[in-house]
């Protein structure tokens, strides 16, 4: 993590005038009477996600009959779901209970990066699962040869590697932007589009890489905000 931050600092040089301060996340609601009910609801949702996906992971690991390509993909999908929500919900729960809606610049960049990484890995993993079902249905006699455990593990690993590498360009470019117009993020977590809206720098490079990204990998859920 520290190497990633140092890399971003190197890319940005000495132009981090605002990047040492905090952002203010607007959150879901400013109504005080909704803070605690919201905390309870999102805590329940978070626990269900964690326990549900952990149960799926544990059952597949312990049952040797489930050690097949489809369940290997499901194990990875469970890990992604846990990582996905753990990147956003703990901070949201903290904001709801403490009423402190600030996040550091680097904390925001990291949150955005891991959100995009998990989203991309999930899309690629779902594509691998679809390919697995295609082989099982359309080529049942050759399924074992076409989709072995080794091949499914390779597809899952590729989804993780591409998922973490793909959004690194976004993180570097976003770290070089200036945010002098506003420090308030109109969202409940750090996402690309809300950050671009408050930047006073030229955002054409970020928009270009986002367009290329979705064209090549379909891994940019943040574009739905545009």
């Amino acid at each position: 993590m520290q190497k990633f931050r140092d890399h971003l600092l190197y890319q940005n040089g000495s132009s981090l005038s605002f990047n040492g301060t905090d952002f203010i996340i607007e959150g879901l609601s400013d109504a005080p009477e909704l803070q605690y009910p919201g905390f309870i609801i999102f805590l329940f949702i978070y626990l269900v996600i964690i326990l549900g996906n952990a149960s799926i992971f544990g059952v597949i690991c312990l049952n040797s009959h489930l050690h097949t390509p489809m369940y290997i993909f499901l194990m990875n999908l469970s890990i992604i779901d846990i990582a996905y929500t753990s990147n956003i919900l703990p901070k949201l729960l903290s904001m709801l209970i403490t009423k402190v809606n600030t996040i550091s610049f680097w904390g925001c960049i990291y949150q955005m990066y891991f959100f995009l990484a998990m989203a991309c890995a999930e899309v690629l993993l779902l594509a691998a699962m679809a390919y697995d079902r295609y082989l099982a249905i359309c080529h049942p006699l050759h399924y074992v040869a076409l989709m072995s455990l080794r091949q499914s593990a390779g597809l899952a690993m590729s989804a993780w590697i591409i998922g973490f590498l793909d959004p690194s360009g976004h993180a570097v470019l976003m770290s070089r932007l200036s945010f002098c117009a506003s420090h308030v993020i109109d969202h409940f977590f750090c996402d690309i589009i809300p950050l671009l809206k408050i930047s006073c720098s030229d955002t054409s490079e970020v928009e270009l890489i986002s367009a290329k990204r979705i064209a090549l990998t379909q891994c940019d859920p943040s574009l739905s905000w545009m």
Side-chain angles (χ1 to χ4, degrees):
M1 186 69 71
Q2 182 63 35
K3 290 181 179 179
F4 179 69
R5 178 173 178 172
D6 292 341
H7 174 65
L8 295 182
L9 284 170
Y10 172 78
Q11 291 286 335
N12 204 18
S14 60
S15 61
L16 298 176
S17 57
F18 169 68
N19 299 2
T21 62
D22 295 339
F23 287 112
I24 299 173
I25 299 178
E26 201 164 87
L28 298 173
S29 175
D30 294 329
E33 64 273 12
L34 297 179
Q35 300 292 317
Y36 291 109
F39 174 82
I40 294 173
I41 292 172
F42 283 106
L43 178 61
F44 175 75
I45 293 173
Y46 184 50
L47 292 176
V48 169
I49 292 172
I50 296 297
L51 294 176
N53 284 287
S55 298
I56 293 173
F57 184 87
V59 168
I60 295 174
C61 283
L62 295 175
N63 192 338
S64 59
H65 296 291
L66 299 180
H67 294 174
T68 61
M70 176 52 68
Y71 287 103
I72 295 298
F73 291 138
L74 284 176
M75 286 178 60
N76 283 271
L77 193 61
S78 295
I79 297 174
I80 289 176
D81 285 343
I82 291 174
Y84 215 146
T85 53
S86 297
N87 180 45
I88 297 173
L89 283 184
K91 179 60 179 178
L92 178 61
L93 292 171
S94 175
M95 293 190 301
L96 289 172
I97 197 67
T98 64
K99 300 180 177 63
V100 178
N101 288 24
T102 58
I103 185 171
S104 67
F105 174 82
W106 288 110
C108 189
I109 294 295
Y110 292 147
Q111 187 181 65
M112 180 203 70
Y113 170 76
F114 281 110
F115 168 72
L116 293 176
M118 291 300 100
C120 186
E122 184 176 39
V123 170
L124 295 174
L125 192 61
L126 290 173
M129 294 173 70
Y131 177 65
D132 173 76
R133 291 301 84 197
Y134 164 76
L135 293 178
I137 295 171
C138 298
H139 303 281
L141 299 180
H142 303 284
Y143 175 74
V144 176
L146 295 174
M147 184 60 72
S148 64
L149 285 178
R150 181 177 180 180
Q151 290 167 323
S152 62
L155 288 173
M157 185 178 298
S158 298
W160 282 99
I161 293 173
I162 296 173
F164 276 104
L165 290 178
D166 187 66
S168 58
H170 276 96
V172 172
L173 291 175
M174 293 296 293
S175 71
R176 300 172 63 182
L177 298 179
S178 298
F179 299 92
C180 49
S182 173
H183 300 176
V184 180
I185 299 174
D186 186 18
H187 203 11
F188 61 92
F189 71 98
C190 293
D191 199 3
I192 292 180
I193 303 305
L195 287 172
L196 291 180
K197 288 181 179 179
I198 62 174
S199 174
C200 54
S201 301
D202 180 14
T203 61
S204 59
E205 288 185 346
V206 181
E207 294 171 0
L208 179 61
I209 196 174
S210 295
K212 290 180 178 178
R213 198 165 171 263
I214 196 170
L216 294 175
T217 64
Q218 298 293 313
C219 290
D220 204 336
S222 61
L223 287 180
S224 60
W225 286 84
M226 299 182 83

